[in-house]
């Protein structure tokens, strides 16, 4: 079955950048709508950015528009999230998910469906 592994998280100062990766095994990512989600301590999981499996169109939450960019490299079976101009409020565990819904306002998860990675932590602090 499809397995997803996130990487690239870490500690960065406000205004800095990180690039997250989501690499799939056991399946081909280009068959799926892919989304990045995040969850901060004490908060619910929220959609960040997503990319379609057909047109390659992308959508992001208003909170990250202009700062985060999602992209896909089908040859590497990998999806990326380039995060620039990071803010302390971006601090969260970031998750990659396949088989989600990509709305104009960002991704949403379908409970009981889809494939999820274990997440990678991002901490933005001075």
């Amino acid at each position: 079955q499809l397995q997803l592994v996130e990487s690239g998280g870490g500690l960065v100062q406000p205004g800095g950048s990180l690039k997250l990766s989501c690499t799939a095994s056991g399946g081909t990512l280009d068959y799926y709508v892919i989304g990045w989600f995040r969850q901060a301590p004490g908060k619910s999981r929220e959609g960040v950015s997503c990319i379609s499996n057909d047109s390659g169109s992308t959508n992001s939450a208003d909170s990250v528009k202009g700062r985060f960019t999602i992209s896909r490299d089908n040859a590497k079976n990998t999806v990326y999230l380039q995060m620039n101009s990071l803010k302390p409020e971006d601090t969260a565990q970031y998750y990659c998910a396949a088989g989600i819904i990509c709305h104009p306002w960002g991704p949403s998860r379908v409970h009981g469906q889809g494939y999820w990675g274990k997440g990678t932590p991002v901490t933005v602090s001075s």
Side-chain angles (χ1 to χ4, degrees):
Q1 68 273 30
L2 186 69
Q3 295 180 337
L4 304 175
V5 179
E6 303 94 336
S7 63
L11 174 64
V12 64
Q13 294 190 133
S17 298
L18 284 174
K19 188 174 184 178
L20 307 182
S21 298
C22 172
T23 300
S25 62
T28 303
L29 274 185
D30 62 355
Y31 285 101
Y32 299 92
V33 177
I34 307 297
W36 284 96
F37 296 76
R38 66 187 182 186
Q39 187 169 19
K43 298 182 180 180
S44 61
R45 191 168 300 186
E46 63 175 331
V48 177
S49 296
C50 50
I51 186 167
S52 74
N53 64 326
D54 45 16
S55 66
S57 62
T58 62
N59 292 306
S60 295
D62 287 342
S63 60
V64 306
K65 284 183 178 177
R67 300 189 298 119
F68 292 10
T69 303
I70 188 171
S71 62
R72 183 177 63 202
D73 188 336
N74 290 333
K76 296 181 179 179
N77 217 19
T78 299
V79 172
Y80 304 96
L81 185 67
Q82 178 67 52
M83 305 186 295
N84 300 323
S85 302
L86 284 162
K87 305 175 181 180
E89 50 263 44
D90 294 319
T91 297
Q93 185 84 348
Y94 281 73
Y95 300 89
C96 174
I100 50 82
I101 301 173
C102 194
H103 304 279
W105 56 89
S108 69
R109 59 179 177 173
V110 180
H111 291 279
Q113 300 181 30
Y115 301 90
W116 291 79
K118 298 297 183 181
T120 186
V122 173
T123 301
V124 185
S125 177
S126 58

